[in-house]
Amino acid sequence: MEFANPVMLASGILGISGGSLRRVVEAGAGAVVTKSVGLRPREGYLNPSVVQVDCGLLNAMGLPNPGVDYLSRELQALDLGVPVILSIYGFSPEEFCEAASIGVQADVGGLELNLSCPHVERTGAEMGQDPRLVAEVVEEVKAIVDRPVFVKLTPNVPDLGQVARAAVEGGADGLTAINTVRAMKIDVETGHPVLANRVGGLSGAAIKPIAVRCVYELSRQVEVPVLGCGGISTWQDAVEFLLAGASAVQIGTAVAFQGLEVFQSVKAGMEAYLARKGYGTVEEVVGLAHRD
Ligand code: RRO
């Protein structure tokens, strides 16, 4: 899959309508990932579902989405000029397959399998922490779609490499690392957890070093491209992920804090860095931190 540039929109923000995806592309994103959609529309959790914390956001949205049928119809009429990657989830391998087969009826460049949402039962990370189930989901989806399949991984596992290898053995064309880190916030006055769901997923600058470490470790262990995600808000962050071994980067939380200008500023800063260092292409810096 060819990206216009390696700065992508991460799943979960502005990815639920054609209009918002178009604004992200116009702002400079080289590819976009939609919000995760499943077979049936879901309302998600009650508010508060997002709260700002030190150096990041904590969310437990609970997979609110209009369903794969609706979103794929919305995407069908779009011609964004950059790859659109449809993020899907299911509560079983069969549901993943059904969602995938509906999703690819739209003009999507690929699929991202959400095997990493940290706070919805019987899907996401609950499936994504089991290497055998991950391999099964990927294998079954790959058997019925002719598009690249990425697997978004959870950092909330003891052995990330084992899950990643299982995804690749199942046929994954690439990995996205990482989804949010399980976390919580408690209000000291009320004594209650702030999120309605109590526990949620932490994103933003707070998790960047975790994500960099995950990309670094994974890119040594798998041959497929790794898409870096987690706390990227500046060109320096993006370059750090490339050096760790990411082939491209995904931006999510920084869009909420900085607005859509973040795509242009990261892209321009990255290009200036490459030129200043004498590199001709992004590929030349991917994984350089692995040198002895
Ligand atoms: O919707 C969510 O609550 C959510 C999802 Br699907 C995910 O993959 N990661 C996250 O932090 N929140």
Side-chain angles (χ1 to χ4, degrees):
M1 192 189 301
E2 285 294 318
F3 294 166
N5 69 72
V7 187
M8 308 168 62
L9 175 72
S11 181
I13 185 156
L14 295 180
I16 210 70
S17 78
S20 60
L21 288 169
R22 188 175 299 286
R23 281 169 53 219
V24 173
V25 173
E26 285 167 1
V32 291
V33 189
T34 69
K35 172 72 181 165
S36 300
V37 288
L39 284 181
R40 279 165 290 280
R42 256 179 79 97
E43 285 201 353
Y45 296 144
L46 295 176
N47 286 326
S49 56
V50 187
V51 59
Q52 192 169 338
V53 293
D54 293 341
C55 306
L57 289 179
L58 184 58
N59 90 84
M61 305 292 294
L63 273 165
N65 78 94
V68 63
D69 231 357
Y70 176 94
L71 189 61
S72 58
R73 256 182 283 129
E74 173 115 2
L75 296 178
Q76 224 151 18
L78 279 185
D79 183 11
L80 291 180
V82 305
V84 176
I85 297 173
L86 182 73
S87 172
I88 58 169
Y89 71 90
F91 291 94
S92 64
E94 295 70 34
E95 281 200 14
F96 266 98
C97 285
E98 247 184 280
S101 65
I102 296 168
V104 294
Q105 288 166 17
D107 184 23
V108 296
L111 298 174
E112 186 178 83
L113 309 184
N114 185 341
L115 286 160
S116 45
C117 175
H119 46 247
V120 178
E121 285 174 10
R122 296 180 297 106
T123 184
E126 284 196 12
M127 297 178 77
Q129 64 188 343
D130 177 348
R132 265 184 305 190
L133 193 50
V134 168
E136 187 183 335
V137 171
V138 180
E139 207 172 317
E140 293 189 13
V141 170
K142 279 296 288 183
I144 58 160
V145 302
D146 56 357
R147 258 29 88 82
V149 170
F150 296 84
V151 175
K152 189 161 182 179
L153 299 168
T154 173
N156 307 308
V157 288
D159 188 348
L160 184 64
Q162 194 188 10
V163 179
R165 288 192 303 276
V168 173
E169 279 158 23
D173 300 284
L175 304 172
T176 302
I178 56 177
N179 207 316
T180 51
V181 178
R182 256 174 94 79
M184 73 186 297
K185 178 179 172 66
I186 296 168
D187 185 314
V188 295
E189 293 305 325
T190 65
H192 288 294
V194 175
L195 292 172
N197 188 57
R198 293 171 175 256
V199 171
L202 181 63
S203 62
I207 69 165
K208 196 191 77 175
I210 300 173
V212 170
R213 185 268 301 170
C214 289
V215 168
Y216 182 83
E217 287 182 355
L218 286 182
S219 60
R220 297 180 89 98
Q221 298 187 44
V222 296
E223 298 290 326
V224 299
V226 178
L227 308 177
C229 183
I232 296 158
S233 72
T234 66
W235 67 263
Q236 289 93 335
D237 297 333
V239 169
E240 196 177 345
F241 275 83
L242 298 179
L243 293 168
S247 299
V249 295
Q250 298 185 350
I251 299 183
T253 299
V255 177
F257 284 125
Q258 292 180 32
L260 289 169
E261 293 71 34
V262 66
F263 291 101
Q264 194 50 44
S265 67
V266 170
K267 199 170 74 149
M270 189 189 277
E271 281 163 7
Y273 170 86
L274 294 175
R276 175 162 58 80
K277 294 283 190 180
Y279 297 115
T281 63
V282 169
E283 289 76 44
E284 289 172 47
V285 298
V286 172
L288 279 186
H290 291 272
R291 285 172 304 182
D292 288 332

